[in-house]
């Protein structure tokens, strides 16, 4: 799915907003209907009146926010769209370095995606299945964004494809790591809460704005609602 996302980034024109809108809906659905409930059950103890799982949820949200600010992933959506569609790339080394750092952060996040799949399957087949579905949908967007961001900052196609390949291998590596040990239920609950914060941030602060900025249309909103509804059905049938 990561490789497909990168391929679509090279081929998709104005319809990419529909795919990203749907992917964001899937991510919102898995956070609201599965990750947070499961994390709260596994780590219900409170600190100063707040469940530990929800504190980790906030920590995950803030962590990815700080990372993305540090590597300057977010830029004005108008300039992103103009540069992506018209090919206005600056080739100075500073801009290329920002693109490589941003794409590298996405690869690191994909490694955590794979870790989340393995950890979630340790919590149960249902949790593992829905997390895997969400990660697959998210990896499409990851591949799309990895290629787009690398090229957007002036790097050549070879570098973009290299980072795309690394992004595709990262989830498999992360999942394989979890085969080496079993995570205690309490720790697993804290991690699921943390990962839910990651997903929510990416869906609301990255994927959805990117989907709506070039095409603020009802069709994009409908795709997001369909994504949320689909995850509701998947989790309901799995239970």
């Amino acid at each position: 799915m990561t490789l497909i996302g990168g391929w679509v980034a090279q081929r998709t024109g104005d319809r990419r907003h529909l795919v990203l809108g749907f992917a964001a809906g899937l991510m919102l659905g898995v956070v609201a209907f599965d990750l947070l409930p499961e994390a709260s059950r596994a780590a219900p103890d409170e600190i100063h009146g707040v469940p530990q799982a929800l504190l980790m949820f906030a920590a995950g949200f803030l962590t990815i926010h700080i990372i993305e600010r540090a590597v300057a992933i977010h830029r004005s959506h108008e300039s992103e769209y103009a540069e992506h569609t018209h090919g206005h790339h600056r080739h100075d080394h500073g801009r290329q370095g920002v693109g490589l750092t941003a794409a590298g952060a996405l690869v690191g996040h994909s490694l955590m995606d794979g870790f989340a799949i393995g950890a979630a399957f340790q919590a149960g087949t249902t949790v593992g299945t829905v997390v895997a579905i969400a990660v697959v949908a998210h990896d499409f967007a990851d591949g799309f964004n990895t290629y787009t961001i690398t090229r957007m900052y002036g790097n050549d196609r070879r570098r973009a494809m290299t980072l795309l390949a690394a992004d595709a291998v990262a989830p498999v590596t992360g999942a394989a790591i979890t085969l080496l040990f079993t995570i205690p239920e309490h720790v697993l609950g804290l991690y699921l809460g943390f990962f839910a914060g990651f997903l929510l941030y990416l869906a609301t602060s990255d994927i959805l704005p990117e989907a709506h900025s070039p095409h603020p249309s009802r069709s994009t909103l409908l795709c997001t609602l369909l994504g949320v509804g689909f995850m509701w059905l998947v989790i309901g049938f799995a239970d």
Side-chain angles (χ1 to χ4, degrees):
M1 287 302 294
T2 302
L3 294 176
I4 291 174
W7 181 82
V8 170
Q10 302 176 62
R11 298 288 188 270
T12 302
D14 289 342
R15 296 189 182 277
R16 67 176 183 142
H17 60 292
L18 300 179
V19 176
L20 293 176
F22 185 74
L26 292 177
M27 294 162 67
L28 289 172
V30 77
V31 167
F33 306 143
D34 191 77
L35 286 181
L36 282 181
E38 184 64 31
S40 297
R41 284 192 293 268
D45 295 339
E46 296 183 354
I47 297 178
H48 199 58
V50 179
Q52 293 179 3
L54 294 184
L55 289 174
M56 292 300 293
F57 169 74
F61 188 97
L62 292 174
T63 296
I64 188 63
H65 173 64
I66 292 170
I67 291 174
E68 288 201 338
R69 289 290 101 188
V71 299
I73 286 182
H74 285 292
R75 304 167 63 208
S76 102
H77 294 296
E78 291 80 10
S79 64
E80 285 182 348
Y81 182 63
E83 290 188 13
H84 178 67
T85 54
H86 301 295
H88 295 160
H89 304 291
R90 298 177 184 175
H91 294 281
D92 59 279
H93 294 296
R95 281 177 54 82
Q96 291 177 1
V98 170
L100 293 175
T101 302
L106 289 173
V107 173
H109 176 256
S110 291
L111 183 69
M112 293 188 66
D113 281 348
F115 188 82
I117 293 177
F121 270 106
Q122 291 186 15
T125 302
T126 299
V127 180
T129 300
V130 295
V131 169
I133 291 173
V135 168
V136 166
H138 178 224
D139 281 349
F140 177 92
D142 264 1
F144 190 101
N145 289 334
T146 297
Y147 184 89
T148 300
I149 288 172
T150 306
R151 294 286 283 153
M152 186 185 304
Y153 283 91
N155 292 282
D156 58 27
R157 185 175 181 275
R158 181 178 178 180
R159 286 183 176 178
M161 294 301 294
T162 299
L163 283 163
L164 181 64
D167 199 16
V169 172
V172 180
T173 303
I177 290 174
T178 63
L179 297 175
L180 302 177
F181 55 89
T182 300
I183 303 174
E185 182 179 5
H186 179 75
V187 176
L188 182 60
L190 296 178
Y191 176 77
L192 291 177
F194 188 85
F195 182 65
F198 259 68
L199 283 188
L200 184 65
Y201 181 87
L202 290 171
T204 57
S205 298
D206 201 2
I207 305 299
L208 279 178
E210 183 176 349
H212 282 282
S213 68
H215 295 280
S217 64
R218 293 180 180 178
S219 57
T220 305
L221 176 60
L222 178 61
C223 285
T224 302
L225 294 175
L226 288 174
V228 174
F230 177 76
M231 286 310 306
W232 186 16
L233 290 176
V234 167
I235 292 170
F237 284 127
D239 288 339

